[in-house]
Amino acid sequence: MKFGKSLCWTLLPTASLAMVFLSGCEPTTSSNKTASTMSTKESESSGPSTSSNPDHGDGSPTDHGHKPGAHGGIMVSLGRDSYHVEAVIDSSGAIRLCTLGQDESRIFEVDSQTLQGFVKAVGDTDSKPISFAPTPQDGDAAGKTSLFVGQLPDNMTGKRLDITIPNIRIEGERFRLGFVSGVDAHGAGSEMPEKMAAGEEKELYLTPGGRYTAADIEANGNTTASQKFKGLKSAHDMNPKPGDRICPITETKANPKFSWTIDGKSYQFCCPLCVDEFLKSAKSSTEPLPDPDTFVKK
């Protein structure tokens, strides 16, 4: 059995991303309403900005910037961090928006709806329309989606972009979101985090198989990775130093908080998705697993 770089690796960023701007993150004043208090009429009438916002259009730091998402996307806060959206732009110009809960590691389903937005190159004054189609992932309920997909207009791929979506509806409320992209943040073929159905996750983590034993399940607390690591945020360090523990899947620096016992040994990973992938491989193999001490940066 071979462990190494795989699907999760393709999710990691290849270039730094700009800080995120969101009007709803600022304190409420008479002239600056938060996204969560914006009325339906105001939200629906919002249009493209005619001038670049100095805290947003030039990519400079803001008072409420967000770090890149767990898998390299731009993390956008909605309603004072009540919800989040992770945006990923690949080299083909496709934009994927994954809706997340207050806990950024949890995928959150919203009503199926077509999102209408505006995009312009940073520094330009003219915006072009862009639509994001609801694209339900496996496990999304009928009439719900946790993923929206759009396509950049011609000649905008590879540029730093200012993207605004005036209206997204979540649990009966309307929010406005905006963000500035980096350049070629993801390579072709990048994907959003895959949503594992509850039954599939329980089957993976709570039943023995291959090198994964009943004793391992008990050592891990008779739970799943999403339950055990709920609320924890992963940050990929792609430059581990000699002697650092590295993730068996991505070979980035491992985080001891994301440890899982398999075959009686404790392995460290960079994020929960890598635990999923390593465990799937371990359960399909009867061969001894590499010792955890082999996953150290030379």
Side-chain angles (χ1 to χ4, degrees):
M1 176 175 55
K2 182 178 180 181
F3 295 94
K5 298 179 182 178
S6 59
L7 171 62
C8 189
W9 176 249
T10 67
L11 299 172
L12 298 176
T14 58
S16 60
L17 299 174
M19 298 295 285
V20 174
F21 164 84
L22 179 67
S23 61
C25 291
E26 298 295 331
T28 303
T29 67
S30 59
S31 61
N32 182 26
K33 297 185 178 182
T34 66
S36 59
T37 59
M38 182 181 295
S39 70
T40 300
K41 182 177 180 180
E42 288 170 325
S43 178
E44 290 177 339
S45 64
S46 298
S49 173
T50 57
S51 63
S52 181
N53 187 308
D55 295 328
H56 166 52
D58 62 1
S60 60
T62 67
D63 292 336
H64 195 94
H66 283 260
K67 296 179 181 179
H71 292 85
I74 305 169
M75 191 65 70
V76 186
S77 169
L78 297 176
R80 297 183 181 274
D81 289 336
S82 295
Y83 312 98
H84 295 84
V85 172
E86 186 172 10
V88 174
I89 305 175
D90 68 25
S91 60
S92 70
I95 306 179
R96 301 178 182 89
L97 305 176
C98 185
T99 54
L100 308 170
Q102 185 174 35
D103 177 352
E104 297 170 15
S105 68
R106 307 291 292 184
I107 291 177
F108 189 88
E109 298 173 6
V110 303
D111 291 339
S112 182
Q113 58 198 283
T114 298
L115 305 180
Q116 303 294 341
F118 303 93
V119 57
K120 64 180 180 180
V122 170
D124 287 354
T125 57
D126 294 331
S127 298
K128 293 185 178 181
I130 183 172
S131 296
F132 295 87
T135 310
Q137 302 190 81
D138 290 342
D140 286 347
K144 299 285 187 178
T145 186
S146 57
L147 179 65
F148 296 87
V149 179
Q151 182 67 39
L152 287 174
D154 293 340
N155 303 321
M156 285 200 173
T157 301
K159 297 181 179 180
R160 291 187 64 238
L161 302 172
D162 186 340
I163 299 173
T164 301
I165 299 173
N167 182 15
I168 178 172
R169 187 175 66 255
I170 303 178
E171 294 193 314
E173 294 186 273
R174 296 176 185 267
F175 300 91
R176 177 183 183 276
L177 68 92
F179 59 91
V180 175
S181 74
V183 178
D184 193 20
H186 272 250
S190 298
E191 299 182 19
M192 296 302 297
E194 293 185 2
K195 181 177 181 179
M196 183 179 291
E200 181 184 357
E201 185 181 31
K202 288 182 178 179
E203 176 70 21
L204 175 63
Y205 282 95
L206 302 181
T207 61
R211 307 301 300 187
Y212 192 55
T213 67
D216 294 333
I217 296 172
E218 184 175 355
N220 292 317
N222 293 294
T223 188
T224 65
S226 67
Q227 292 172 326
K228 184 175 182 179
F229 303 133
K230 183 178 180 180
L232 295 180
K233 298 179 182 179
S234 53
H236 294 94
D237 183 345
M238 294 181 289
N239 298 295
K241 299 176 181 178
D244 285 344
R245 294 274 179 180
I246 57 175
C247 175
I249 300 298
T250 64
E251 298 181 9
T252 59
K253 185 176 180 179
N255 185 339
K257 292 182 179 179
F258 297 116
S259 297
W260 206 261
T261 298
I262 303 172
D263 201 18
K265 304 168 186 175
S266 180
Y267 293 84
Q268 295 181 13
F269 301 87
C270 63
C271 66
L273 280 181
C274 287
V275 182
D276 293 350
E277 188 153 339
F278 190 87
L279 182 54
K280 288 176 183 177
S281 297
K283 290 187 71 173
S284 65
S285 176
T286 57
E287 300 177 6
L289 303 180
D291 191 87
D293 289 338
T294 63
F295 298 109
V296 175
K297 179 68 175 179
K298 304 299 184 183

